[in-house]
Amino acid sequence: MPTEKLNLVPFVSVDRMMKLVHRIGVEPMLRDLAAAIEADFLRWAQFDKTPRIASHSDVGVIELMPTSDGRTYGFKYVNGHPSNMKRGLQTVTAFGLLADVETGYPVLLSEMTILTALRTAATSAMAAKWLAPAGSTTMALIGNGAQAEFQALAFKAVCGITHIRLYDIDPAATAKCARNLAGTGLTVTPCRTAEDAILGAQIITTVTADKTNATILTDNMIGSGVHINGVGGDCPGKTELHPDILHRSAIFVEYPPQTRVEGEIQQLDPDHAVTELWEVIAGRAKGRSDAAQVTLFDSVGFAIEDFSALTYLRSKLAETGLYEDLDMIADPDDPRDLFGMLLRAA
Ligand code: NAD
């Protein structure tokens, strides 16, 4: 616990988050987050679970993502606005909070735009560790926006991917991504089409943003044995894969009541069989069954991943000192004298 006074809440700003990521190292932090998320998926039953609470508009969505393990409560505020990018704004921004269940007092407030990109990539790579074909070396990365480099580096750090094939409808995004990945040790190949990008890839990540039922991948593009990491389809009416792909894939999800509404599987019958990823990790369900199977991680992002990321962040505060105390909780010495405290401040 970095803060002794309960009215002061440690706050991690964007600036301090960036310093913290550099202090730990991007790849070590992605590995740490993947391990933290995996450990929390292993104790799945201990968490309160609910689909996130979404407020939709024509252009985007604003969501609250709460969970608790009985000792600590957490939530994230996050938006998804694909049209933001054209206005010079982020598609996804976020912040989050942890609180002590015993007192209800907040114990951490943090920026989560960067932390979400890290935790999403860590979750993707953690899922691929269980589902992708053994010995995978090459990943196609379709959609080269804000999340892209994080995905590439997580697959390098966690799955041993050495080669990334990039594609985006906007060549400037691909050029930006290739530039940012130079010097990371990854071999990066910019491609002119999605068909070109998937050549020789054992893993295909789709992380595009468009508020529509897009077909970034069609069935004829998917060879046997490929693992698909579908990240960008995460909202009603916002998908990336042609339904034919779903019908021939073994589909793995985070939390079915949320994914059935938001994921690629919104395109399927509500009773179409899917496997919960935590069950694979816990040894209660099979992951990939054979080398020829097409596997799909239908990622939408679930509250437990944010809880894991925030808990990990909190564990790093004392040693790094990378936070400031926020005077966030009105906490008079006499708990019943809230008004007296206000009067004395005059
Ligand atoms: P971004 O706007 O920064 O980048 C999206 C990129 O996709 C852009 O470069 C755009 O040109 C490209 N694109 C759009 N349509 C395309 C197409 N048909 N083919 C190829 N490229 C295309 O967005 P971002 O922050 O990188 O997020 C990407 C997606 O990931 C969003 O849809 C977001 O909602 C989603 N997301 C999911 C999770 C999760 O946990 N599953 C977490 C964070 C973000």
Side-chain angles (χ1 to χ4, degrees), residues 52 61 63 65 76 78-86 89-93 113 116-117 119-121 123-124 141-149 151 167-174 176 194 206-212 214-216 229-235 238 240 254 258 297-302 305-306:
R52 59 184 159 195
V61 64
E63 297 163 325
M65 303 173 68
K76 179 169 84 172
V78 63
N79 77 303
H81 284 67
S83 57
N84 268 5
M85 195 248 301
K86 293 191 185 74
L89 302 173
Q90 286 289 299
T91 296
V92 175
T93 71
T113 304
T116 291
R119 79 80 156 121
T120 302
T123 305
S124 286
L141 183 51
I142 303 177
N144 302 156
Q147 310 297 318
E149 295 89 339
Q151 289 280 331
Y167 172 68
D168 194 293
I169 40 168
D170 181 357
T174 301
K176 175 264 328 177
T206 55
V207 61
T208 67
D210 201 355
K211 205 165 164 48
T212 184
T215 44
I216 307 300
N229 170 42
V231 180
D234 60 356
C235 215
K238 178 166 173 271
E240 296 179 302
E254 291 143 314
Q258 184 178 311
F297 175 44
D298 186 1
S299 159
V300 292
F302 187 53
E305 295 147 26
D306 299 308

Side-chain angles (χ1 to χ4, degrees), residues 2 20 23-24 314-323:
L20 187 123
R23 182 85 58 90
I24 296 167
R314 190 175 178 218
S315 77
K316 294 289 172 190
L317 294 190
E319 74 188 69
T320 61
L322 287 168
Y323 66 94

